[in-house]
Amino acid sequence: MNKSNLYKGCLEPILLKLLKENGRMYGYEMTQKVKALTAGELKITEGALYPLLHRLEAEGILEVEMENLGNRVRKYYSLTASGKKEQARSMIELEAFKNTLQLIFNPKLA
Amino acid sequence: MNKSNLYKGCLEPILLKLLKENGRMYGYEMTQKVKALTAGELKITEGALYPLLHRLEAEGILEVEMENLGNRVRKYYSLTASGKKEQARSMIELEAFKNTLQLIFNPKLA
DNA sequence: AATCGATACATAAGTATTTTAGGTATTTAA
DNA sequence: TTAAATACCTAAAATACTTATGTATCGATT
């Protein structure tokens, strides 16, 4: 998604946040949304995205609705009830992460 | 280092920062320092630490001095000139990372 | 004197996430 | 009509870390 290794592990929280904010999105839309939000800084690769969406669906965190556009199919994902809980948990984890990094990289502000 | 996946990719910047602040440290000392700084939140595992130290040394980012304590050996690591540049670059990358996450997770503040 | 926890190094197999590199097919704009 | 954009997908490889294990010394407790 970026040259930097730091983003590793961030994809799941990002997807959950996108779905929380937008309610209902399809994969390609997510890649475009992230590119737009970050002014091109962060690009979600499809090789990471689709397998993760499938895993989250299998885990019951996401649910899918197929939609037909002429001859094509679009798969809309949204958070299940369990997914909403997971999303909240994920944001708490992200906060803790931020605070821990603060302790290491900004040791002055204690 | 933590249950969370978010820390993946953070170990290298952390080590570089520790060495910038402390000048000269040995591996075990780094694990203790991080535990202390983060009140036990973040634990660097030796299985991740030592291979990384060896890689950074091989890349010329770190240099080593052996020190004898009685019958034991301690390996002190410090940043080379190239390592200092890399450390600075790493901090810039971390800032960019922080800002990008901000764009995704705090979209209000634009 | 023996044992346990802490100190201090190290490696190797396994796991999980992402990258890289493909593949299919439709729609739209040049 | 052809290229770029849209829209899905997978599989092999790379990467980073975990888990488990190993060696050995030192200091404190039993």
Side-chain angles (χ1 to χ4, degrees):
Chain A
M1 39 206 307
N2 188 293
K3 284 94 212 158
S4 171
N5 277 331
L6 293 168
Y7 294 93
K8 278 178 207 266
C10 288
L11 186 52
E12 184 173 331
I14 289 173
L15 298 189
L16 296 180
K17 172 69 173 178
L18 287 178
L19 288 170
K20 186 214 160 91
E21 294 299 322
N22 300 278
R24 192 166 170 279
M25 299 180 84
Y26 55 98
Y28 185 75
E29 190 184 9
M30 299 179 197
T31 68
Q32 301 308 301
K33 187 68 176 179
V34 167
K35 218 202 295 186
L37 278 174
T38 65
E41 248 291 297
L42 194 54
K43 280 166 188 148
I44 292 180
T45 59
E46 298 179 318
L49 175 66
Y50 289 113
L52 178 52
L53 288 174
H54 300 162
R55 199 200 84 206
L56 293 174
E57 190 198 344
E59 289 174 358
I61 288 168
L62 301 184
E63 58 189 352
V64 189
E65 282 173 278
M66 310 292 254
E67 205 148 298
N68 284 47
L69 319 94
N71 259 327
R72 267 194 287 187
V73 178
R74 209 180 250 171
K75 293 175 78 174
Y76 277 95
Y77 290 90
S78 53
L79 295 169
T80 62
S82 146
K84 279 169 197 164
K85 276 182 211 159
E86 177 57 22
Q87 197 280 324
R89 201 204 48 72
S90 163
M91 284 304 286
I92 290 167
E93 193 175 292
L94 188 70
E95 269 310 299
F97 171 63
K98 238 180 58 185
N99 292 335
T100 300
L101 287 194
Q102 187 80 225
L103 292 173
I104 294 170
F105 291 100
N106 294 51
K108 334 228 157 191
L109 340 158
Chain B
M1 41 206 304
N2 189 292
K3 283 94 211 156
S4 171
N5 275 330
L6 293 168
Y7 294 93
K8 275 178 207 267
C10 287
L11 186 53
E12 184 174 331
I14 289 173
L15 298 189
L16 297 180
K17 172 68 172 179
L18 287 179
L19 288 169
K20 184 212 162 91
E21 294 299 322
N22 300 278
R24 191 166 171 280
M25 297 179 86
Y26 56 99
Y28 184 76
E29 190 185 8
M30 299 179 198
T31 68
Q32 301 308 300
K33 187 69 177 178
V34 167
K35 217 200 298 184
L37 278 173
T38 66
E41 247 292 297
L42 193 57
K43 279 167 188 147
I44 293 180
T45 59
E46 299 178 315
L49 175 66
Y50 290 112
L52 178 53
L53 287 174
H54 300 161
R55 198 199 84 208
L56 293 174
E57 189 197 345
E59 289 174 358
I61 288 169
L62 300 185
E63 59 190 352
V64 189
E65 282 172 278
M66 308 292 254
E67 205 148 298
N68 285 46
L69 318 94
N71 258 329
R72 268 194 286 186
V73 178
R74 208 181 252 173
K75 293 175 77 173
Y76 276 96
Y77 290 90
S78 53
L79 295 169
T80 61
S82 146
K84 279 169 197 164
K85 276 182 211 157
E86 177 56 21
Q87 197 279 326
R89 201 203 50 69
S90 164
M91 284 304 286
I92 290 167
E93 193 174 291
L94 188 70
E95 270 309 301
F97 171 63
K98 237 180 57 184
N99 292 334
T100 300
L101 288 193
Q102 187 81 223
L103 293 173
I104 294 169
F105 290 100
N106 294 50
K108 335 228 159 192
L109 342 159

